Amino acid sequence: MIFFLDGGEIRLYLFRSLEIMHLNHWNFYMLRCRSTILIVISLLSALAAIAQQPVPQPASARFPNIRASLDDGFFVLAEQQARGVLRAEPKEADKHEASLLLAHSLWGQKRYSEMLNLLKGSDGSPGHIYWRARALFELKQYGPAVKALDEAGDVMAESRYVPSALRLKARMLQSSGKLKEAEAACLQFADAFPSHSEWTANQFELAEIYTLQKRLPEAIGVYEGLAAQKSANVAQRAQLKLAHVLYTQGAAENFETARGLLKGLASTNQTRLAYRIDAYVDLAALEEKAGKQKEAGAVMRQAIRLSPDARQRVPLKLALVRLLLRENNTADALKLLEECRAEAPNETVAAELQLEKARALLQARLYDEANEAYQVYLDVASDPAGLAQAYFGKGLALWELERFTESASALDKAVKELKTPGDRADALFKAGDSFYQAGKFDDAEKRYRSFVTDYPAHANVPNALYQLGRALARAGRRADALATFQGLEADWPASEFSEKAALQAADVLLAGELWEDALAKYTAIGQIYTNSTAAVLSQHQRGLVLYRLGRYADAQLAFEAVASGHPDSEFVPQASYMRGFCLYLQGQVEEAVNTCQAFIKAYPDSEWTPEVIFWLAEQYFNQGAYADAEPLFLRIAADFKGHKLASRSLYWAGRAASAESNYVKAIERYSEVAKTYPESEILPQTRFAQGDALTELGEFARAVLAFEEIIKHYSESYLVNAAWGRKGDCQFSLAVDAPARYAEALNSYQAILDRPSSPMALKLQAEYKIGRCLEKTNVPDKAFSRYMNVVYTFINENVERSPYSVMWFTRSAFGAAALKEKEKAWLEAAQVYGRVLEANVPAQEEAAKRIEKIKKDNWLLFEESAEAK
């Protein structure tokens, strides 16, 4: 588990031409990369500025999260939250509200006796009265419950609970057989709350009460009124109920009317599927009641054919079996029973699991295994959407394996099959990158051009144009490349790729040996991006370009022109020692030494001499020549021990060794920094890098000690938050063999939550990883609570939508949903995925797919849930 980027800070006294070098970006999650030391300064300065002060909140501020948990049906979580408020000894008003929320959560868990104990000391408030009555109703103690509501009188009538109380009273009266009183309560509700969301449900109950009283004209009248509603769902349900009443309670002359209603519902595609199936079932019962067994069997088969859920389909087949048996048709009945017993397993589910396995392997960076898993899916699956995702994932795995030609092929297939524009755009762009890395620049060009054409408003358009220019340049089409870079500069001046394009354009000019054009270009770059004086910059850049191309004599003349023509220029010191380098590289070692000596005399207070060496070392480092860079860094440490760069040089010597995967040597360098320069400001970065090197060796226990030193001794360092996180990651890794370590990892992540300086995105990450620890220690309910803390915080507290906060929200939501899926709590899992849709994050499309799949696989459950509302 990677937590944070490591970092060091080295001051670089470099000439601006370093911008022409191809500098790699740092990865935020410590993927080892060849970063320029110059970039590290900016990154660390930015990270140091991150701080966030906690804002104390009253107990009432926690109520929205509790209500959200109740709305989502997470009653255990709501109970934990409400009890947390009560433990904090809130004000009386907050205590009252929290107790009502707690009662609601207990009701959702069917813990009715505990509800009564909680509300035993009722203060006579409407809320307490209502929830006590609700608990009594669930315990079938209708008399005391109705009495409590009646005694509430005016107190209840003036409260927000009156509609719910009236509905509850009607249900209790009906359940206790007091149909007249129940009817009166329903009529009272209908008159008093005609716009209430439960008005329709009240009417259905009223019709049922009339039916129970054998008052069929009144029941039919209510159902006919509901059937005239604009809501198709309400109208269809009312027609279904009306038909049922007509053929079960009415005389035979009503059969034709009922038959017409049922046939109309069953044969209309616009009818809700559940109602179509119910209509066929009722129609089959009607036809059998009318003595038409053959027609009844045919109608039941229609219902079976319509049913998408085996849990419903099998009972329907069983009903048909019984019908066949009543006809003495035993042969068909037995055949159908065999079908019921031997329903085939769901191969789609198995394929989906394979796809999820492949995704998990890809996320875990097990790219060989992920590639194989995706291929297994591709070999057996047929779902177009799944195949598209498999090709996309396979392409990404192959990219990481540096099998770029295969990656490009897989990504191309994904582009053809993916339906979501965002996914298609990502696959298309990555296909271009794969072709570029494979050296197939013409193919890369086609993908980048398609990307820019098909997705002109995409945020990656500047990047695509930049990559397009590079592909054209590598293909030898310099004029086209130059035009592309120039267009990028003109059309996207504020983009980070504008300056890169300018530098690439200059490289194109250099590759074409258009020296004067290159000089003009660099002059323009200086004017646009550095605000330097055009004349001296032009001259200086000319020297740097010539130096970069190995034309040291010409470069020497250019640097001498800077020193003589612009003696007061800021570039003169640099031009002086660059002249010395030119002499050195021309083999004029003695004169080069003399030049350096003259430089020292001219600038006695300058520290350029060690920094020149440092510059040479960093060039090698940035070019990946770590074996050449390391001895230069060590030379500074050995020859300039009192210099401010001495400790940093040792540190970067360790980084060079680490970049060559020589972690043992790297650790030795870091230890030497701590031993020789115990007061150095580079020590936090050194310990951090040391911890990283130890993790690369799998020595997580020693790495923990390194990160702990930062925490204990450099409490003001910007790296402390990162150190807590990396410490937690190491403990998490150690927990694979020692599960007790999960508790230690949890404590480390909790420390981040407790630190005021921890930014919100980091807190969300820590909360998520605490959930992972709890999940690993088989405490899924607490893990679920942690995941949902991230979800609700992200939604309710206006968290900044950074890529990192969105990522941890998404992982937490999917983690919480996965737990519910493991529990087969499909309604709750769908509710969590619904929160992802509500958040409007990139993963909403995946969440929508999962909701759709859950509802498809558990169709009857969701129909029953919808029916119960």
Side-chain angles (χ1 to χ4, degrees):
M1 297 173 60
I2 302 300
F3 209 93
F4 287 98
L5 61 83
D6 59 347
E9 180 185 3
I10 296 184
R11 181 183 173 197
L12 306 177
Y13 295 84
L14 303 177
F15 47 84
R16 287 180 172 81
S17 65
L18 290 182
E19 296 167 331
I20 69 175
M21 305 296 292
H22 302 296
L23 305 179
N24 292 322
H25 290 287
W26 280 71
N27 183 298
F28 184 76
Y29 294 97
M30 299 187 64
L31 292 176
R32 218 165 47 251
C33 62
R34 297 171 180 175
S35 168
T36 64
I37 300 171
L38 185 59
I39 289 178
V40 178
I41 300 174
S42 301
L43 283 174
L44 294 179
S45 298
L47 287 171
I50 297 176
Q52 186 166 320
Q53 297 300 323
V55 179
Q57 295 181 325
S60 59
R62 300 167 66 180
F63 291 156
N65 278 11
I66 303 176
R67 294 189 183 100
S69 296
L70 293 171
D71 290 342
D72 289 341
F74 303 140
F75 299 109
V76 174
L77 176 59
E79 178 189 358
Q80 296 170 357
Q81 295 168 325
R83 291 192 187 280
V85 171
L86 292 171
R87 283 195 296 271
E89 299 183 357
K91 295 179 181 179
E92 194 60 31
D94 288 343
K95 179 179 179 181
H96 178 269
E97 184 64 19
S99 68
L100 295 180
L101 294 171
L102 178 57
H104 191 167
S105 71
L106 293 172
W107 170 82
Q109 299 173 65
K110 300 182 180 181
R111 293 157 61 185
Y112 308 124
S113 296
E114 291 182 52
M115 286 177 67
L116 293 177
N117 289 332
L118 172 69
L119 302 171
K120 185 179 295 183
S122 174
D123 59 4
S125 69
H128 274 143
I129 293 170
Y130 171 76
W131 283 110
R132 275 185 57 80
R134 192 68 180 264
L136 291 168
F137 166 74
E138 301 293 352
L139 294 169
K140 301 187 184 307
Q141 298 180 30
Y142 305 127
V146 172
K147 181 180 179 181
L149 292 176
D150 287 340
E151 289 178 352
D154 294 338
V155 174
M156 182 65 72
E158 299 296 323
S159 77
R160 71 178 189 265
Y161 292 94
V162 62
S164 300
L166 192 54
R167 292 275 293 119
L168 179 62
K169 181 178 178 180
R171 293 172 65 193
M172 290 190 292
L173 289 168
Q174 179 183 346
S175 297
S176 58
K178 298 180 178 180
L179 300 180
K180 281 290 184 182
E181 294 91 332
E183 174 192 348
C186 286
L187 290 171
Q188 181 183 351
F189 181 93
D191 291 337
F193 306 102
S195 300
H196 197 277
S197 61
E198 290 194 35
W199 187 88
T200 298
N202 180 76
Q203 292 301 99
F204 276 106
E205 288 183 16
L206 178 61
E208 183 179 353
I209 291 169
Y210 284 141
T211 302
L212 292 171
Q213 293 177 293
K214 305 296 183 181
R215 294 164 58 186
L216 300 185
E218 288 96 329
I220 290 171
V222 174
Y223 283 133
E224 287 177 341
L226 290 168
Q229 293 279 322
K230 292 182 179 180
S231 168
N233 186 54
V234 172
Q236 292 164 9
R237 180 184 175 193
Q239 291 176 46
L240 191 62
K241 292 282 188 181
L242 175 58
H244 189 82
V245 167
L246 287 172
Y247 88 83
T248 58
Q249 302 291 330
E253 58 263 30
N254 292 328
F255 279 20
E256 197 56 38
T257 303
R259 185 180 286 113
L261 287 170
L262 293 171
K263 283 185 175 180
L265 288 168
S267 61
T268 303
N269 289 334
Q270 284 71 32
T271 301
R272 184 177 176 182
L273 180 58
Y275 294 157
R276 288 187 70 191
I277 296 170
D278 285 348
Y280 275 124
V281 171
D282 265 338
L283 186 57
L286 185 156
E287 298 297 0
E288 186 177 19
K289 189 173 183 179
K292 299 179 179 181
Q293 282 77 12
K294 184 177 181 180
E295 289 86 346
V299 170
M300 186 61 75
R301 286 186 173 88
Q302 290 277 41
I304 293 169
R305 280 193 287 270
L306 274 180
S307 179
D309 193 301
R311 291 179 305 146
Q312 182 190 50
R313 191 166 54 251
V314 170
L316 290 177
K317 288 182 177 181
L318 184 58
L320 179 56
V321 165
R322 290 168 179 163
L323 190 153
L324 292 169
L325 289 173
R326 286 193 292 270
E327 291 181 299
N328 295 318
N329 188 348
T330 55
D332 286 346
L334 290 171
K335 181 179 179 180
L336 195 56
L337 278 172
E338 184 64 19
E339 290 180 19
C340 292
R341 190 186 66 81
E343 287 267 1
N346 191 336
E347 293 181 0
T348 301
V349 172
E352 285 294 328
L353 289 173
Q354 179 66 22
L355 187 58
E356 287 302 321
K357 175 185 175 181
R359 288 171 179 158
L361 290 168
L362 182 63
Q363 185 174 323
R365 299 177 186 169
L366 299 172
Y367 302 119
D368 275 315
E369 293 89 334
N371 175 48
E372 292 174 3
Y374 278 120
Q375 189 57 53
V376 169
Y377 179 87
L378 291 169
D379 289 340
V380 300
S382 59
D383 175 53
L387 291 172
Q389 291 296 328
Y391 280 123
F392 194 7
K394 182 179 177 68
L396 296 177
L398 290 166
W399 163 274
E400 297 294 345
L401 293 169
E402 298 185 2
R403 293 161 60 178
F404 299 117
T405 300
E406 297 170 80
S407 172
S409 176
L411 290 167
D412 265 354
K413 292 177 182 176
V415 171
K416 293 178 182 178
E417 300 295 336
L418 287 167
K419 304 303 180 185
T420 304
D423 289 343
R424 286 191 74 250
D426 291 343
L428 182 58
F429 186 84
K430 200 65 179 178
D433 287 347
S434 294
F435 278 118
Y436 182 90
Q437 291 295 333
K440 298 182 178 182
F441 304 116
D442 290 340
D443 289 324
E445 175 197 351
K446 292 176 183 177
R447 274 63 180 181
Y448 292 134
R449 287 196 187 279
S450 293
F451 180 89
V452 172
T453 301
D454 295 345
Y455 307 99
H458 198 285
N460 261 345
V461 166
N463 193 357
L465 288 170
Y466 176 70
Q467 289 296 106
L468 173 60
R470 294 182 67 197
L472 291 167
R474 292 290 300 275
R477 295 164 57 186
R478 296 190 183 107
D480 291 338
L482 188 60
T484 301
F485 290 132
Q486 290 172 340
L488 172 55
E489 286 185 82
D491 296 338
W492 303 86
S495 167
E496 63 175 303
F497 293 97
S498 179
E499 184 174 355
K500 291 182 177 181
L503 295 169
Q504 286 288 335
D507 281 347
V508 170
L509 293 169
L510 291 174
E513 299 185 355
L514 301 172
W515 308 118
E516 295 303 322
D517 289 342
L519 176 60
K521 185 61 180 176
Y522 280 120
T523 300
I525 290 172
Q527 292 173 330
I528 296 171
Y529 300 109
T530 68
N531 296 318
S532 297
T533 304
V536 65
L537 175 62
S538 174
Q539 195 71 274
H540 195 58
Q541 288 295 97
R542 178 180 176 82
L544 295 174
V545 170
L546 293 169
Y547 181 87
R548 176 70 174 80
L549 295 175
R551 294 174 57 181
Y552 303 118
D554 292 336
Q556 176 189 339
L557 294 174
F559 292 130
E560 288 172 350
V562 170
S564 61
H566 307 276
D568 298 327
S569 170
E570 61 179 313
F571 297 109
V572 170
Q574 187 176 14
S576 298
Y577 71 74
M578 284 303 301
R579 175 178 176 274
F581 287 153
C582 289
L583 291 168
Y584 181 84
L585 292 170
Q586 292 176 75
Q588 302 179 47
V589 178
E590 184 176 354
E591 187 174 354
V593 170
N594 291 335
T595 300
C596 290
Q597 291 175 344
F599 170 81
I600 294 172
K601 290 181 180 179
Y603 304 99
D605 298 326
S606 174
E607 296 178 347
W608 286 110
T609 300
E611 293 190 9
V612 167
I613 299 174
F614 197 93
W615 173 81
L616 285 171
E618 71 159 3
Q619 299 310 301
Y620 286 124
F621 188 96
N622 293 338
Q623 295 168 18
Y626 303 116
D628 294 326
E630 185 179 359
L632 288 172
F633 285 128
L634 291 174
R635 178 183 169 186
I636 296 170
D639 296 346
F640 303 93
K641 291 184 179 180
H643 194 274
K644 60 184 179 182
L645 287 178
S647 60
R648 293 177 180 273
S649 296
L650 272 177
Y651 165 72
W652 281 100
R655 291 291 303 278
S658 184
E660 289 192 298
S661 301
N662 195 338
Y663 302 113
V664 173
K665 183 187 290 185
I667 293 168
E668 292 175 357
R669 304 298 186 216
Y670 299 141
S671 298
E672 189 176 355
V673 173
K675 179 181 179 180
T676 308
Y677 303 98
E679 304 300 324
S680 173
E681 62 181 7
I682 201 68
L683 275 179
Q685 293 95 315
T686 302
R687 288 304 191 197
F688 204 101
Q690 186 176 31
D692 283 338
L694 288 166
T695 61
E696 293 292 343
L697 293 174
E699 296 188 32
F700 298 108
R702 290 180 62 193
V704 166
L705 298 177
F707 294 123
E708 282 182 343
E709 182 167 344
I710 299 171
I711 294 167
K712 293 178 181 178
H713 300 296
Y714 305 98
S715 58
E716 301 302 318
S717 172
Y718 62 88
L719 289 170
V720 171
N721 291 331
W724 273 115
R726 295 290 285 121
K727 177 184 174 184
D729 288 346
C730 291
Q731 292 165 330
F732 190 96
S733 297
L734 288 167
V736 172
D737 297 319
R741 289 275 193 169
Y742 286 120
E744 298 175 5
L746 188 151
N747 290 334
S748 294
Y749 298 138
Q750 184 62 44
I752 294 173
L753 298 179
D754 297 336
R755 286 178 58 80
S757 63
S758 299
M760 179 56 73
L762 178 55
K763 289 185 176 182
L764 297 180
Q765 183 181 4
E767 191 85 63
Y768 165 78
K769 291 193 172 181
I770 289 174
R772 291 283 293 130
C773 291
L774 292 167
E775 192 172 351
K776 287 289 187 180
T777 52
N778 198 27
V779 193
D781 57 334
K782 292 185 179 180
F784 178 79
S785 177
R786 291 292 189 160
Y787 292 148
M788 293 309 297
N789 281 347
V790 177
V791 172
Y792 290 141
T793 298
F794 183 88
I795 293 174
N796 293 333
E797 296 188 14
N798 296 320
V799 175
E800 180 184 2
R801 296 297 184 94
S802 70
Y804 303 112
S805 63
V806 169
M807 176 176 66
W808 297 116
F809 161 79
T810 303
R811 288 188 180 182
S812 297
F814 277 70
L819 287 174
K820 291 303 174 185
E821 288 192 63
K822 287 180 181 178
E823 297 172 7
K824 300 188 183 304
W826 306 115
L827 292 172
E828 296 180 0
Q831 192 67 41
V832 177
Y833 287 131
R835 288 295 185 174
V836 179
L837 298 182
E838 175 187 339
N840 192 28
V841 296
Q844 63 181 344
E845 293 168 358
E846 176 63 23
K849 291 178 183 177
R850 295 194 182 190
I851 292 173
E852 180 181 0
K853 183 180 184 304
I854 289 173
K855 288 185 175 180
K856 179 179 178 182
D857 294 342
N858 302 276
W859 178 85
L860 183 59
L861 174 65
F862 281 83
E863 286 296 331
E864 292 169 348
S865 176
E867 191 71 27
K869 292 183 178 177

